[in-house]
Amino acid sequence: MSCEPGEQDTHVLEAIGRCRVLVRDGKVIEVGVPRVRSCPLAKRFGLPVDPVTPEKVRENVEHRIRSFGLCTPERQVLMGTEFVGFGASELLSFALAQGILDCAVIAGDGAGTVLAPTPDLVQGIGGRMSGLVRTFPYPEVITRIEDEGGVVLDPVTGTIDQVEGASLAYKKGYRRVGVTLATVNDALALRRNFPEVFLIAVHTTGISAEDALIFAETCDLVTSCASRHVREVAGSRALLQAGSSIPVFAMTRAGKELLLEKVRVLDKPMMLMGARLPFDLGNLPDPLV
C-alpha cells in the first residue's frame, strides 16, 4: 500500500494485538480495538502495554513518536541493540552481520519498502516498529536511509511492496536476500519468483489456518505473534522452535541453521531440548486468535 503524491501525511499501523492505529502529522488520530488483552512481549516495551487497551496502545505509540520520531520526518533509522533475541529484525540483523545474508528487504515508516544492507539499519527501522500497513514518504528519512547504504523502493509514494523490493535487490546485485512479509500472496509470489530468497512471515496475529499453512509451506521462518493457527499449523510442522511465549518456528533447513547459528554465538546461557512442537510454558498472549 502506498500514498499518492501530495496525499496528506498519513500512516497506518496494526500495532500491539493487531490494533489499528492512524498517525497523521505526528499525532495519533485514531486507535482501534486490540484483539488481545495481554501480551508477554508488550509488558517488556520501553513503555509497557499491560493490559492491552486502546488507551495503553495510544500511550505507547505516542511514546515512540516522542522518543525516536516514529512516523515523522525526525525518524531515527539506526539502532545497535536488540530488543528480543529471536525477533525478525534481530535475526535479519544477525544474518547480515555474519554474512549469511547480504541484503534485507523490510518495511519502514516514512519510507515504505527498504533495501537494508547493514545490521544497524535493519534494527533501527524494523526493531522499533511492526505491523506497518501504509506510510507517507519523508525526504529527510529517506536521506538518512540512503546515507547508510539503504535503498528506498519508491521515494515518491512510499510504496510497501516486498515482491518488487526483492526484485530490485537482485537487480542491484545482491545474492543472499532476506525478506519480511505479512501476506500469503507475497509469500507465494516471492517463493515462486525467487526460489532461493530467505522469507520471514511476520504480523501473523489473527490469520486463518489456511494462511498459516501457506506460510509454513513457503517461508523459512514464521513468527507466531498471538496466532493460534501459526502455533497449531506451523508449530506442529516446524524443524525448530526458538522462544516459548512468542516463538519463531523454523520451517526449512535454512531457517533452522540461522536459529542455531544465533544460539552458537550468544554469550548467555541457553537450554536445548527435544520436545513435541509447539512447546510453551504457559506464558502466552491472551487470547490466542
Side-chain angles (χ1 to χ4, degrees):
M1 186 175 291
S2 64
C3 294
E4 295 301 322
E7 190 172 349
Q8 192 174 16
D9 174 345
T10 301
H11 311 263
V12 178
L13 310 169
E14 288 183 346
I16 308 125
R18 210 166 188 127
C19 177
R20 185 179 184 275
V21 179
L22 177 66
V23 179
R24 182 176 295 142
D25 297 324
K27 297 179 176 61
V28 177
I29 303 300
E30 177 185 313
V31 181
V33 179
R35 298 191 63 178
V36 303
R37 292 183 293 271
S38 68
C39 171
L41 186 61
K43 294 177 183 179
R44 297 170 47 197
F45 287 168
L47 183 67
V49 179
D50 183 32
V52 182
T53 64
E55 295 75 22
K56 291 286 188 181
V57 171
R58 175 187 290 272
E59 290 174 5
N60 181 270
V61 174
E62 289 174 341
H63 171 74
R64 298 185 195 205
I65 292 171
R66 291 191 303 270
S67 54
F68 60 84
L70 179 74
C71 298
T72 74
E74 289 71 45
R75 177 65 149 90
Q76 299 171 20
V77 300
L78 297 179
M79 186 167 69
T81 58
E82 292 189 346
F83 177 61
V84 292
F86 295 98
S89 296
E90 286 79 3
L91 288 167
L92 285 175
S93 296
F94 173 77
L96 288 172
Q98 298 298 114
I100 298 169
L101 299 177
D102 59 9
C103 180
V105 180
I106 58 177
D109 54 288
T113 290
V114 175
L115 279 57
T118 66
D120 288 358
L121 189 58
V122 171
Q123 189 65 2
I125 294 172
R128 290 170 159 146
M129 179 279 308
S130 62
L132 184 65
V133 176
R134 171 181 172 181
T135 194
F136 184 87
Y138 298 121
E140 302 93 330
V141 176
I142 292 168
T143 296
R144 291 187 199 107
I145 291 170
E146 292 174 343
D147 286 347
E148 299 299 328
V151 176
V152 174
L153 175 64
D154 190 337
V156 175
T157 66
T159 296
I160 301 173
D161 188 328
Q162 301 304 84
V163 179
E164 286 301 314
S167 177
L168 181 60
Y170 284 110
K171 288 176 182 176
K172 286 190 169 295
Y174 293 109
R175 290 294 173 261
R176 302 183 304 280
V177 178
V179 184
T180 56
L181 58 96
T183 71
V184 294
N185 287 339
D186 278 358
L188 290 167
L190 283 160
R191 185 57 71 204
R192 180 178 61 250
N193 296 341
F194 315 105
E196 72 282 11
V197 72
F198 190 93
L199 301 181
I200 305 181
V202 299
H203 197 46
T204 59
T205 295
I207 69 170
S208 67
E210 291 78 10
D211 284 1
L213 179 59
I214 292 173
F215 281 149
E217 292 179 340
T218 56
C219 296
D220 298 282
L221 296 173
V222 181
T223 61
S224 63
C225 302
S227 170
R228 178 179 301 279
H229 292 307
V230 165
R231 285 168 172 80
E232 293 175 350
V233 177
S236 64
R237 292 166 168 78
L239 303 177
L240 184 67
Q241 172 181 328
S244 61
S245 298
I246 314 288
V248 58
F249 297 109
M251 309 309 304
T252 65
R253 183 178 181 86
K256 180 179 179 180
E257 288 177 349
L258 177 58
L259 294 183
L260 289 175
E261 182 63 13
K262 182 75 184 290
V263 170
R264 187 184 70 82
V265 303
L266 284 174
D267 58 0
K268 64 180 182 179
M270 300 287 294
M271 181 180 73
L272 298 177
M273 60 178 286
R276 172 176 288 183
L277 303 183
F279 174 84
D280 71 75
L281 296 172
N283 184 29
L284 301 174
D286 178 40
L288 296 176
V289 293

